[in-house]
Amino acid sequence: MSYVEPAPIKDRENPFESMMSRFHIASQALGLNDEVYNVLKNPVKQVIVSLPVTMDDGSIRVFEGYRVIHSNILGPSKGGIRYDMGVNIDEVKALAAWMTWKCAVVDIPYGGAKGGIRCNPRQMSSGEIERLTRSYTQEMFSIFGPDRDIPAPDMGTGPREMAWIMDEYSRANGMTINAVVTGKPIVLGGSTGRAEATGRGVMVSAFAAMEKLKINPYQSTVSVQGFGNVGSHAALLMEERGSKVVAISDISGAYYNPDGINIQQAVEFREANGGTLTGFTGGEVIEGEELLTLEVDILIPAAMEDVITVKNAEQINARMIVEGANGPTSARADDIINSKGTLVVPDILANAGGVTVSYFEWVQNRLGYKWTRDRVNRRSDRIMRESFERVYKTALKYGVSMRIAAYIVAIDKVANTYKFRGGF
Ligand code: NAD
């Protein structure tokens, strides 16, 4: 193979570059040829738009918006829209590629995309955000579409913005097209089960991994970093099924109770306490870093990227890590974790329950029908379990970690489809 290797691993801790380095390792293991490697590495389309918006004080500000389609080989591209001051084209490109691998690993018929607008939504009024979102949608009119490219929420956006995008896109078409976005409010065609879908997938992955390591779930202990959407749902569902969650944390601090934290109580406390665990008394207060190194069966990082790095990988004492967050482990930490024999269920597999139920939302919209919560859960659980098995078997077959195996499964799927569709 003659394709150019990315910069040496020692030079990076950036989660996106970590992701690309794993793509490279998996491509080599698969023996991917140069043509396909380069096709899969480079995004199909990158769009940058200027968005003039009338602010509440009457002035006009121009924002920059992005949408990158990394791949549409498996189907229409799918990926969130981020509103943040840090948004830039390189980040959007990397996040779009990440979506390609995530959709492929769980075998849903989507390519990968990502979008964003460089703005600070916390300093904007609802009216300003609405005008910005509608303006972005108008500029992306030829990019978005239920058969072309389907956005979803990401950092700084949620059901409200998705409703505006759906409405603006529908108006321009003269009819209601709710399948153009997912993550909508339920009344507009959002799916039941979406809110807990990612945490639920993390739980299903953790249980599948416990089976492989012959850990009795009723005797298992868990620590969870991050108590937001992903972390709190994962913790609740693990507890419901008999695991003992001994530590949780959020931005306010970390809480440890060797007898098990009452997660339902912690959720209620958070709800009544402005969304944080500040002052939670259901566990002893410990350092956030200590939570990561506790002797537990399962560690679930579900807060942010790059928390397990060369600095602390050696001190990790969990038997397995189930990655709820995107990119919580740096590429440099991979080798250390692997050499300790810790099983890692990687992000692109473990947190794919969210995009799976987004896919179900799109399917329901296109059917003009609503599934019950039970049907959504059963089908997403099945996809998560089957995907886990596929990745586990691939890891054994190639003698690689589950992370590299997940990339192998994803790249192989996209590369094969590309070969059938034909190149240029
Ligand atoms: P969220 O904003 O709902 O929750 C994040 C949580 O992490 C909060 O409790 C916050 O207080 C906590 N946190 C922040 N910094 C922390 C720190 N230093 N130490 C401990 N806790 C800290 O976000 P979310 O939707 O739950 O997403 C969490 C992660 O999962 C992100 O990496 C996200 O990209 C990823 N993810 C989310 C979804 C989804 O469906 N929500 C899907 C796939 C991946």
Side-chain angles (χ1 to χ4, degrees):
M1 272 171 288
S2 62
Y3 44 73
V4 184
E5 220 179 295
I9 239 170
K10 65 179 169 48
D11 292 333
R12 18 179 142 80
E13 279 288 347
N14 169 325
F16 311 124
E17 287 172 349
S18 287
M19 185 259 296
M20 285 313 292
S21 79
R22 287 140 176 175
F23 165 72
H24 184 82
I25 295 168
S27 300
Q28 279 185 319
L30 260 175
L32 206 64
N33 70 38
D34 295 359
E35 182 205 320
V36 181
Y37 179 90
N38 286 321
V39 168
L40 302 190
K41 190 174 158 215
N42 294 302
V44 168
K45 196 177 284 188
Q46 305 175 51
V47 184
I48 304 181
V49 290
S50 293
L51 305 166
V53 173
T54 306
M55 306 304 278
D56 290 346
D57 65 5
S59 65
I60 292 179
R61 262 187 71 190
V62 182
F63 295 86
E64 197 156 85
Y66 309 86
R67 186 75 180 165
V68 172
I69 314 287
H70 172 259
S71 170
N72 46 20
I73 291 172
L74 295 186
S77 49
K78 185 91 190 82
I81 296 174
R82 178 170 285 197
Y83 286 3
D84 187 72
M85 284 310 286
V87 168
N88 62 72
I89 192 71
D90 285 335
E91 182 188 75
V92 179
K93 261 162 74 174
L95 290 167
W98 216 324
M99 284 304 297
T100 301
W101 312 131
K102 198 180 287 194
C103 293
V105 86
V106 286
D107 201 14
I108 57 179
Y110 284 148
K114 204 79 182 189
I117 301 177
R118 192 178 313 136
C119 65
N120 185 346
R122 284 175 301 281
Q123 285 177 1
M124 294 169 73
S125 70
S126 166
E128 288 168 342
I129 298 174
E130 177 171 358
R131 292 192 289 282
L132 177 63
T133 305
R134 288 187 184 276
S135 165
Y136 177 73
T137 309
Q138 284 164 16
E139 290 301 329
M140 294 296 165
F141 186 61
S142 62
I143 304 291
F144 293 166
D147 290 307
R148 271 196 301 260
D149 177 42
I150 307 144
D154 193 70
M155 254 166 68
T157 62
R160 180 182 69 163
E161 285 75 17
M162 298 308 112
W164 291 328
I165 293 174
M166 182 214 122
D167 183 68
E168 194 63 29
Y169 187 83
S170 296
R171 278 169 199 262
N173 277 283
M175 58 183 151
T176 296
I177 306 178
N178 55 8
V180 69
V181 282
T182 63
K184 296 179 292 291
I186 300 258
V187 286
L188 291 185
S191 181
T192 55
R194 175 63 188 88
E196 64 269 35
T198 306
R200 191 177 174 89
V202 169
M203 176 274 291
V204 171
S205 305
F207 272 69
M210 277 196 271
E211 217 176 289
K212 300 294 178 199
L213 296 189
K214 306 214 173 351
I215 297 174
N216 177 351
Y218 292 102
Q219 287 166 3
S220 63
T221 52
V222 187
S223 56
V224 184
Q225 183 194 44
F227 205 64
N229 177 292
V230 179
S232 64
H233 282 115
L236 256 182
L237 292 163
M238 297 289 299
E239 182 193 50
E240 250 176 54
R241 279 159 186 73
S243 296
K244 197 198 295 179
V245 182
V246 296
I248 56 174
S249 72
D250 73 356
I251 195 73
S252 73
Y255 309 86
Y256 172 66
N257 183 345
D259 298 325
I261 289 173
N262 184 327
I263 301 298
Q264 188 56 44
Q265 249 173 32
V267 169
E268 283 162 21
F269 181 89
R270 182 194 64 187
E271 294 315 304
N273 195 41
T276 84
L277 292 169
T278 314
F280 180 62
T281 53
E284 172 201 343
V285 175
I286 57 168
E287 287 296 319
E289 190 61 23
E290 199 183 333
L291 177 142
L292 294 172
T293 58
L294 288 173
E295 215 164 285
V296 286
D297 295 303
I298 307 161
L299 169 63
I300 302 178
M304 55 204 278
E305 70 280 1
D306 250 343
V307 293
I308 300 170
T309 66
V310 280
K311 296 192 191 87
N312 60 6
E314 202 62 66
Q315 283 80 50
I316 301 286
N317 282 307
R319 293 178 67 188
M320 68 170 89
I321 300 171
V322 184
E323 296 185 335
N326 284 318
T329 310
S330 76
R332 287 168 64 197
D334 273 354
D335 286 343
I336 304 172
I337 297 284
N338 293 340
S339 68
K340 288 162 68 88
T342 314
L343 179 71
V344 178
V345 187
D347 47 10
I348 59 170
L349 170 63
N351 71 32
V355 76
T356 301
V357 175
S358 284
Y359 164 57
F360 292 164
E361 178 175 334
W362 177 81
V363 170
Q364 291 171 75
N365 294 159
R366 297 178 66 118
L367 287 172
Y369 191 68
K370 264 190 174 310
W371 294 354
T372 60
R373 182 179 298 271
D374 189 46
R375 172 173 286 200
V376 169
N377 287 344
R378 260 188 295 118
R379 293 190 174 192
S380 65
D381 289 357
R382 191 179 70 215
I383 288 185
M384 291 304 296
R385 269 198 310 271
E386 287 173 358
S387 306
F388 182 95
E389 280 305 322
R390 216 170 19 249
V391 171
Y392 191 79
K393 279 194 189 121
T394 305
L396 294 180
K397 178 175 164 196
Y398 285 84
V400 294
S401 65
M402 277 195 78
R403 186 186 311 286
I404 296 303
Y407 279 88
I408 289 178
V409 166
I411 294 167
D412 194 37
K413 165 101 193 159
V414 181
N416 266 326
T417 312
Y418 173 73
K419 282 179 205 153
F420 274 108
R421 289 183 68 155
F424 296 96

